[in-house]
Amino acid sequence: MAIEELKKFIGKTDEPYLMEVEKGAIKRYAEAIGDPNPIYHDEEYTRTSKHGTIICPPGFFGWPVKSRPRLSGVRKELLEAIMKAGYKRLLDGGSEFEFLLPVRAGDILAATGRIADVYEREGKAGKLIFAVTETTYINQNGDRVANVRSTLVCS
């Protein structure tokens, strides 16, 4: 499969899936990353803060409301097409986070993934495919709270 076939995925989006943000999950996540900031742990402290409740540390967006396959939709289709094209080795090329608004306990976020770019480069060991996805998180009020841009490198 030529790169032109893989580029046909650019702009395709997944169905949104819902993420529920629970207080307990926020506290466990903050504890796991070793962040002692009371804004992530202490409900009494946060009642008088500008947020009114505990908020999520950067990078945590809650848990899926319903379980879903780890990789699904258009991202799964793109990965299958890349592997079918002979690119069997995958490397996480990193993620960029853009935090726009605080995510609060009790929020319900709709996460929507989109294929932002697919391109080819020549590496020392041959051709590489770069697949860039973007996920947008929107809260129950319709406010965009975060964007995540991730790159997958395939050889």
Side-chain angles (χ1 to χ4, degrees):
M1 182 179 292
I3 185 68
E4 290 76 27
E5 290 296 315
L6 297 174
K7 284 184 173 280
K8 291 180 180 176
F9 285 90
I10 296 173
K12 291 188 175 183
T13 60
D14 279 328
E15 290 293 318
Y17 61 95
L18 299 180
M19 310 286 288
E20 185 173 356
V21 182
E22 301 170 333
K23 287 180 188 175
I26 294 171
K27 293 176 182 179
R28 288 191 301 277
Y29 184 84
E31 184 177 309
I33 63 172
D35 194 325
N37 188 333
I39 198 77
Y40 308 133
H41 299 273
D42 188 338
E43 293 176 55
E44 182 75 27
Y45 172 84
T46 59
R47 280 193 192 106
T48 57
S49 74
K50 65 180 180 182
H51 304 295
T53 187
I54 61 173
I55 63 171
C56 294
F60 183 71
F61 301 109
W63 304 111
V65 172
K66 292 184 351 185
S67 66
R68 55 177 272 184
R70 184 172 170 88
L71 188 62
S72 61
V74 70
R75 289 182 275 192
K76 181 179 179 185
E77 293 172 22
L78 174 60
L79 184 59
E80 289 172 351
I82 289 171
M83 296 190 85
K84 187 176 176 183
Y87 297 90
K88 305 288 185 195
R89 296 187 305 180
L90 308 174
L91 177 67
D92 182 350
S95 296
E96 300 170 21
F97 293 81
E98 180 181 22
F99 302 105
L100 306 170
L101 292 172
V103 176
R104 294 176 169 79
D107 280 354
I108 301 291
L109 305 178
T112 303
R114 180 179 82 86
I115 306 300
D117 199 4
V118 179
Y119 58 94
E120 185 179 65
R121 284 196 178 159
E122 192 70 33
K124 289 182 181 178
K127 291 182 179 177
L128 302 170
I129 297 290
F130 292 78
V132 181
T133 61
E134 293 177 343
T135 303
T136 301
Y137 294 87
I138 297 175
N139 68 16
Q140 68 280 359
N141 301 319
D143 300 319
R144 185 182 294 210
V145 298
N147 298 316
V148 180
R149 186 175 174 94
S150 302
T151 302
L152 183 65
V153 183
C154 312
S155 62

